[in-house]
Amino acid sequence: MDVKMWTYIIVGITFALYIGIAIWTRAGSTKEFYVAGGGVSPLANGMATAADWMSAASFISMAGIISFAGYDGAVYLMGWTGGYVLLALLLAPYLRKFGKFTVPDFIGDRYYSNTARTVAVICALIVSFTYVAGQMRGVGVVFSRFLEVSIEMGVVIGMIIVLFYAVLGGMKGITYTQVAQYCVLIFAYMVPAIFISLALTGNAIPQLGFGAKLTDGSGMYLLDKLDGLNQELGFAAYTDGTKTTMDVFAITFALMVGTAGLPHVIVRFFTVPKVKDARQSAGYALLFIAILYTTAPAVAAFARTNMINTVSNKEYSSMPEWFKKWETTKLIKFEDKNGDGKIQYVKDKEKNELTVDNDIMVLANPEIAGLPNWVIALVAAGGLAAALSTAAGLLLVISTSISHDLLKKQLNPNISEKNELIAARLSAAAAVIVAGYFGINPPGFVAAVVALAFGLAAASFFPAIIMGIFYKRMNMQGAVAGMIVGITLMIFYMLKFKFGIFDGGKDAIDGLKSAWWFGISPEGFGTIAMLANFIVSIIVSSMTPPPPAHVQQIVEDIRIPRGAGAAHAH
């Protein structure tokens, strides 16, 4: 069977599974819609958390980034993994004891202010919509290549699937769907990695193959060979970094604390019965995440080696079928500048004839390596599982922010549970439509902003959450001032140095690098904006009255290491 038929079969089976689970676990109350009834087992919640965590960025893009950036791409591995550990150990158990299942809910009650709640809702919506637009685009790309439909049609199909199980099942449907999606995505990631590791190095474990000798008779180690191939083409050695130590630190830290403030993962810790279960599920999730994250550098190196060997200085007319198929998606493009019919793939922009999008490296990897058609289709199903699982979690955050944090907590406190559930479903449906629109018509900066979403979360949420838990004196005025200063500073820096808004537009961006503050890139500036948030928060809170005694007592209570009851909505 060809790839298209295998894709129809494997993707069809997985989608039928997701929809079946959504029908079986549909939510009947706001508690089931928001926190799956608070009765999910730690093992199931660990799998669901891992699927929620590992978006299309982890499955499709991360190995692609490492593949092209080499050593510099390690900041994503360190930042995202470190962020999960920080969230699981430092924040989640305390938020779980506080009994709030959204970040705006925690901030609104901890800082006894609807102003603080509204600022947090706005920040949550900015981060979540940015993220979800990238997921929908990823769905469109996968469908476009493997089902041979347009990217726009691919996004629409993805919207219908997500709409069905996110709106019907809420967190209950999403949780059990994500358990299935984790199984699909990890199997889809590991199978081609094992195949290619065996073919290149004779080692069945990709993590060991990454540091092994090649089986081509050269006696060279994989990374030595890759360094040589890169340097021949004018690129930096694969194992050398080009970023400064300060920038590497800033990006890693921004990704860490930004990730720890991402609302769609925090809510997962409210779906288990007890605080002890929240800690256990965090441990399980870390194990499940580590399987993919330790494999990604190997996948990146395998893909880069195979890509260079396949295309560099080869006749365009002799390119394999996969190359022509990916050309139709416009994610790989050949422009014969010297008219010799050969593909010149070099660093020099004037001479380079091949443009490759980072995102195709994982998806095209099995095709480049000549693996069986069913493996190629399996990777497509895995990419869809990764994108759809995170999209569903983000859509729930958006709908909860609107129905619970704005409607129930501020605009209409007396709304009935039935009407709140209807509002949650309607806002989820509206969010899917908006996300689909951005997936079909992405602003030029969607790809860039997805990476910067972490900086926005770091600059806004992290200080308010961390000081809300560990600093009794932090008050409403300090938290609100800090969040506004942090996110404003981050947005300003992004507009100035990422999009050149104030200095001649995108054409001027490369020239602005010398003007970066402290030599820190926009991707790492969330660290500086976060520090500004902390400083402003502490100064303002010290100059204004302390929080009420009952709020200080709540902060004292959530740090006492004793069990708490079931998750509940206030």
Side-chain angles (χ1 to χ4, degrees):
M1 283 193 290
D2 64 6
V3 172
K4 189 175 180 181
M5 186 54 64
W6 270 115
T7 305
Y8 276 123
I9 292 169
I10 295 176
V11 171
I13 291 170
T14 57
F15 275 22
L17 179 65
Y18 305 154
I19 291 170
I21 291 170
I23 294 169
W24 171 57
T25 58
R26 63 186 178 277
S29 67
T30 52
K31 188 175 179 184
E32 288 187 339
F33 193 89
Y34 293 147
V35 291
V40 180
S41 75
L43 182 63
N45 194 51
M47 275 194 187
T49 304
D52 208 352
W53 184 263
M54 293 188 292
S55 64
S58 290
F59 188 97
I60 297 173
S61 300
M62 185 170 64
I65 292 169
I66 298 169
S67 201
F68 285 92
Y71 181 86
D72 286 342
V75 294
Y76 293 93
L77 278 173
M78 296 187 294
W80 284 337
T81 312
Y84 176 77
V85 175
L86 186 68
L87 168 64
L89 300 182
L90 196 62
L91 303 181
Y94 298 108
L95 291 172
R96 174 68 179 73
K97 285 185 75 173
F98 198 88
K100 299 298 171 191
F101 49 77
T102 70
V103 174
D105 208 10
F106 168 79
I107 287 174
D109 280 22
R110 166 61 181 84
Y111 296 113
Y112 49 95
S113 160
N114 275 341
T115 304
R117 190 189 307 275
T118 304
V119 171
V121 167
I122 292 167
C123 294
L125 292 176
I126 290 171
V127 172
S128 299
F129 268 120
T130 301
Y131 230 143
V132 82
Q135 306 307 318
M136 298 310 292
R137 188 67 177 174
V139 171
V141 167
V142 175
F143 275 132
S144 169
R145 163 62 190 91
F146 294 105
L147 297 186
E148 295 175 26
V149 297
S150 66
I151 288 181
E152 292 76 15
M153 179 55 69
V155 172
V156 171
I157 296 169
M159 282 169 61
I160 293 167
I161 299 292
V162 174
L163 192 64
F164 192 87
Y165 69 77
V167 173
L168 183 67
M171 181 55 91
K172 192 176 179 187
I174 287 168
T175 296
Y176 292 106
T177 305
Q178 285 175 336
V179 171
Q181 286 168 330
Y182 175 77
C183 296
V184 171
L185 78 86
I186 203 68
F187 188 66
Y189 204 83
M190 295 306 296
V191 167
I194 291 167
F195 266 113
I196 298 170
S197 184
L198 272 170
L200 286 178
T201 68
N203 199 313
I205 301 171
Q207 291 89 335
L208 298 179
F210 183 52
K213 288 183 178 179
L214 295 165
T215 55
D216 60 3
S218 65
M220 290 183 75
Y221 284 94
L222 169 68
L223 289 175
D224 289 338
K225 175 73 177 285
L226 196 47
D227 275 348
L229 288 172
N230 263 14
Q231 288 171 311
E232 281 174 27
L233 302 174
F235 297 99
Y238 191 79
T239 54
D240 284 350
T242 58
K243 295 182 183 296
T244 64
T245 305
M246 171 65 88
D247 199 25
V248 168
F249 174 81
I251 295 172
T252 304
F253 200 75
L255 291 172
M256 273 181 65
V257 297
T259 307
L262 287 175
H264 71 291
V265 178
I266 290 173
V267 74
R268 291 240 52 93
F269 294 97
F270 292 91
T271 63
V272 290
K274 299 191 293 292
V275 175
K276 179 186 172 188
D277 298 330
R279 290 184 188 276
Q280 280 185 357
S281 64
Y284 281 129
L286 187 59
L287 177 66
F288 294 137
I289 290 166
I291 296 170
L292 188 145
Y293 268 56
T294 56
T295 308
V299 169
F302 299 156
R304 180 76 174 166
T305 304
N306 281 333
M307 168 70 87
I308 293 174
N309 284 334
T310 303
V311 304
S312 184
N313 213 29
K314 301 292 195 301
E315 293 284 346
Y316 174 69
S317 58
S318 66
M319 279 295 103
E321 186 186 3
W322 69 263
F323 189 94
K324 306 289 173 62
K325 288 275 178 70
W326 278 104
E327 271 192 307
T328 62
T329 66
K330 300 185 175 67
L331 295 177
I332 191 166
K333 192 168 81 175
F334 169 60
E335 182 186 357
D336 194 1
K337 292 179 179 176
N338 59 10
D340 67 353
K342 288 185 176 181
I343 299 173
Q344 303 297 324
Y345 179 46
V346 291
K347 186 182 181 183
D348 187 335
K349 287 183 180 178
E350 299 299 318
K351 296 178 181 176
N352 182 49
E353 299 176 338
L354 188 69
T355 307
V356 185
D357 190 293
N358 291 355
D359 290 349
I360 80 161
M361 294 305 282
V362 169
L363 296 174
N365 198 15
E367 296 176 274
I368 298 171
L371 297 186
N373 288 342
W374 68 268
V375 178
I376 297 166
L378 183 66
V379 171
L384 290 170
L388 294 173
S389 61
T390 304
L394 291 162
L395 290 167
L396 192 79
V397 167
I398 293 166
S399 71
T400 307
S401 295
I402 294 167
S403 63
H404 186 74
D405 298 316
L406 279 181
L407 190 61
K408 169 86 171 168
K409 289 288 185 176
Q410 298 187 60
L411 302 177
N412 186 7
N414 299 317
I415 190 171
S416 68
E417 180 168 317
K418 182 181 177 184
N419 286 340
E420 188 184 347
L421 187 58
I422 291 169
R425 285 189 163 132
L426 288 175
S427 49
V432 171
I433 293 165
V434 174
Y437 173 80
F438 284 122
I440 292 170
N441 304 293
F445 51 81
V446 159
V449 177
V450 166
L452 295 165
F454 294 93
L456 291 167
S460 55
F461 283 137
F462 186 73
I465 295 172
I466 205 85
M467 288 193 289
I469 294 170
F470 296 104
Y471 184 39
K472 281 196 301 186
R473 184 64 178 74
M474 180 49 55
N475 63 12
M476 168 189 72
Q477 293 90 336
V480 171
M483 282 194 291
I484 291 171
V485 166
I487 200 159
T488 304
L489 192 58
M490 182 64 198
I491 289 171
F492 168 78
Y493 200 82
M494 277 167 49
L495 294 176
K496 180 174 176 65
F497 292 111
K498 194 70 181 178
F499 310 124
I501 297 293
F502 310 112
D503 299 281
K506 287 190 174 184
D507 295 339
I509 291 171
D510 286 340
L512 289 170
K513 286 183 180 178
S514 59
W516 284 352
W517 300 356
F518 316 110
I520 293 174
S521 63
E523 288 81 3
F525 192 74
T527 299
I528 304 299
M530 178 205 67
L531 291 173
N533 183 336
F534 270 116
I535 292 165
V536 169
S537 297
I538 291 168
I539 290 172
V540 171
S541 68
S542 67
M543 296 168 64
T544 46
H550 75 276
V551 172
Q552 295 194 46
Q553 187 57 48
I554 290 171
V555 177
E556 196 71 49
D557 288 345
I558 64 170
R559 294 206 307 273
I560 297 170
R562 53 185 167 81
H568 56 283
H570 288 289

